[in-house]
């Protein structure tokens, strides 16, 4: 595997994580629990879409085969997407969406903080912008987890149920493969293992404060990196890609 | 409008009604309330798909522009579908699906019984096969309406709610337009007004027996014939068309 191939895979995966999550979050637009929150979440989704666009743009540039970010987003099948399974999980209720978001925000802030020290200037630029955004996203999702966990009996139960459902998708955060190893050696990619303990510590503290219990002895799900997804992704893509698939030659 | 144009419009609309309803019913496959019922409903969906296929095949033949039934089903946008709005409504709970089905089955049995007297041999053939199928479908949906209406308080409430929601889509059954008028004169199409009173009578009897109340003074929805649909259709098509849109040149 060449550095170019590894970098393509790496940026594609980061990009996939962003756009699939953003697409999910957009489903809340106009359906948020109240107006202020609806706007906040839509803005968060937009931040993440923006990051996904930059990453896929860069991936296409690295690949150098005439594809652009739109090709990558709208003309690949589910088996060609490499996002973590947690990003594609259905929104469920607001508790589930916020638990999912907190787990991801906590990871992403550490990931992009490390990535901002990369030797790759483009990734540094994307990371620098992302850190500011995710800092705010994380404050938002963490505060919701606390409110749900320490709220009513109903909100607590729903948050606990969501955590039980989603925890098995957190193992993928810390998977690494050949592309990662190669790029870490070159000082480009992030060694996610380096902050795994820190992530677990922060997450434990969050849920302890929220009076929620982390599930134990969970069998961690895997497959996203190899394009083996849960049933949710194909439906998400059918909707996300409907227009470009319908008009494949359309120009904006 | 020539007879050919009118016949294309007419068969296309009958075909659209069938495949959109069948696609909806298929969403229940593997999710039915119990195994026997799951199989029954899947078979019903398959009957209706078969009818839709025959009708679209014929529509394509009448149109004579090189399209086939797959083009018509999978490569038109929502604005080009002419099905009645009731067919695209979401399944909701089983009560809603069965109320929708009963309203449609009752209409379709009368429609295809009349159509079997058409001067168009192809339509007669399709109608003859459909009558047998719909007779069974109607027995099935009517018995469910009765069970829900006269069942528990919960089932009764759900059936009543579904009826309240769906009734406004029944006006479209009896709409006629230029193509109908022209084909009725030629002895090809069915004058749906001729059995409107009979349909209303049967439906009233059904709901009276099921202890359900027909809503009054409902503003009837319209638009399907002109391609103006409820929000549900575009999502249904995104899913139904995902594969052919993804691989537009694939051969089976």
């Amino acid at each position: 595997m060449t550095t170019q191939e590894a970098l393509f895979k790496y940026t594609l995966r980061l990009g996939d994580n962003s756009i699939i999550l953003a697409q999910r979050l957009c489903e809340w637009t106009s359906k948020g629990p109240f107006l202020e929150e609806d706007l906040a979440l839509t803005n968060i989704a937009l931040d993440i879409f923006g990051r996904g666009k930059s990453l896929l743009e860069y991936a296409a540039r690295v690949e150098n085969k005439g594809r652009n970010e739109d090709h990558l987003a709208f003309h690949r099948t589910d088996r060609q997407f490499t996002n973590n399974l947690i990003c594609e999980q259905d929104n469920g209720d607001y508790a589930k969406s916020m638990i999912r978001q907190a787990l991801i925000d906590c990871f992403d802030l550490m990931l992009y903080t490390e990535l901002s020290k990369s030797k790759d200037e483009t990734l540094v630029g994307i990371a620098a912008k992302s850190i500011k955004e995710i800092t705010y996203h994380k404050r938002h999702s963490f505060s919701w987890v606390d409110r749900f966990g320490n709220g009513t009996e109903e909100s607590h139960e729903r948050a606990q149920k969501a955590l039980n459902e989603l925890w098995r998708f957190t193992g993928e955060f810390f998977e690494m493969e050949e592309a990662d190893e190669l790029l870490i050696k070159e000082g480009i990619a992030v060694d996610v293992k380096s902050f795994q303990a820190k992530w677990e510590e922060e997450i434990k503290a969050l849920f302890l404060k929220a009076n929620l219990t982390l599930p134990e002895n969970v069998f961690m799900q895997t497959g996203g990196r190899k394009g083996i997804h849960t049933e949710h992704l194909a439906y998400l893509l059918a909707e996300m890609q409907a227009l470009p698939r319908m008009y494949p030659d359309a120009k904006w």
Side-chain angles (χ1 to χ4, degrees), chain A:
Chain A
M1 189 183 287
T2 65
T3 305
Q4 186 201 10
E5 283 162 1
L7 187 57
F8 172 67
K9 281 191 88 166
Y10 189 71
T11 48
L12 185 71
R13 192 213 305 158
L14 295 182
D16 284 352
N17 279 328
S18 300
I19 56 163
I20 298 301
L21 176 64
Q23 175 71 18
R24 267 294 177 242
L25 290 176
C26 280
E27 292 173 14
W28 275 113
T29 300
S30 88
K31 300 190 180 74
F34 50 92
L35 187 57
E36 182 81 19
E37 180 61 22
D38 193 310
L39 291 170
L41 197 63
T42 301
N43 269 303
I44 291 170
L46 206 57
D47 286 345
I48 301 175
F49 258 130
R51 191 205 312 157
K53 182 174 186 291
S54 302
L55 286 161
L56 292 186
E57 231 168 36
Y58 188 41
R61 192 138 47 88
V62 169
E63 186 192 38
N64 198 19
K65 286 185 178 166
R67 295 203 281 186
N68 63 21
E69 69 276 19
D70 284 345
H71 288 108
L72 293 176
F74 297 124
H75 293 276
R76 280 182 300 148
T77 69
D78 56 325
R79 290 298 295 268
Q80 295 162 330
F81 272 77
T82 56
N83 58 282
N84 291 330
L85 304 176
I86 195 169
C87 301
E88 73 206 36
Q89 296 310 303
D90 62 304
N91 284 332
D93 53 23
Y94 216 66
K96 184 170 181 184
S97 291
M98 288 301 109
I99 297 266
R100 182 185 62 199
Q101 199 57 32
L103 293 167
I104 294 174
D105 287 342
C106 187
F107 175 82
D108 276 353
L109 188 54
M110 294 181 187
L111 173 73
Y112 285 99
T113 301
E114 287 307 307
L115 196 62
S116 71
K117 303 168 196 161
S118 167
K119 281 192 182 152
D120 184 302
E121 285 304 317
T122 307
L123 290 180
V124 169
I126 295 171
K129 185 165 182 291
S130 299
I131 292 169
K132 288 183 213 162
E133 294 169 347
I134 304 168
T135 303
Y136 157 69
H137 303 170
K138 186 182 160 193
R139 201 181 310 145
H140 173 264
S141 61
F142 269 42
S143 82
W144 271 106
V145 169
D146 190 52
R147 285 170 72 177
F148 281 128
N150 290 314
T152 65
E153 200 177 317
E154 168 100 11
S155 77
H156 178 271
E157 237 173 63
R158 288 183 180 222
Q160 184 63 56
K161 185 164 167 275
L163 182 55
N164 294 347
E165 280 173 25
L166 291 170
W167 186 246
R168 64 199 159 124
F169 297 112
T170 57
E172 272 193 322
F173 286 147
F174 300 101
E175 287 179 8
M176 287 198 288
E177 48 176 22
E178 199 190 339
D180 300 66
E181 312 285 358
L182 195 151
L183 294 175
I184 289 167
K185 275 191 204 127
E186 306 215 12
I188 295 173
V190 171
D191 179 357
V192 287
K193 298 274 184 203
S194 71
F195 59 78
Q196 183 165 10
K198 197 176 141 211
W199 179 84
E200 286 170 358
E201 196 183 315
E202 267 203 40
I203 286 293
K204 270 182 197 166
L206 167 69
F207 289 117
L208 182 70
K209 183 159 168 276
N211 196 24
L212 296 166
T213 315
L214 278 187
E216 274 173 38
N217 297 319
V218 170
F219 183 81
M220 287 292 171
Q221 301 296 308
T222 181
R225 244 149 257 225
K226 294 189 167 59
I228 299 167
H229 290 276
T230 60
E231 66 164 321
H232 301 293
L233 183 63
Y235 290 96
L236 180 148
L237 291 180
E239 191 183 319
M240 184 175 99
Q241 298 180 336
L243 207 63
R245 294 287 191 187
M246 208 172 268
Y247 304 102
D249 305 319
K251 298 269 170 290
W252 293 104

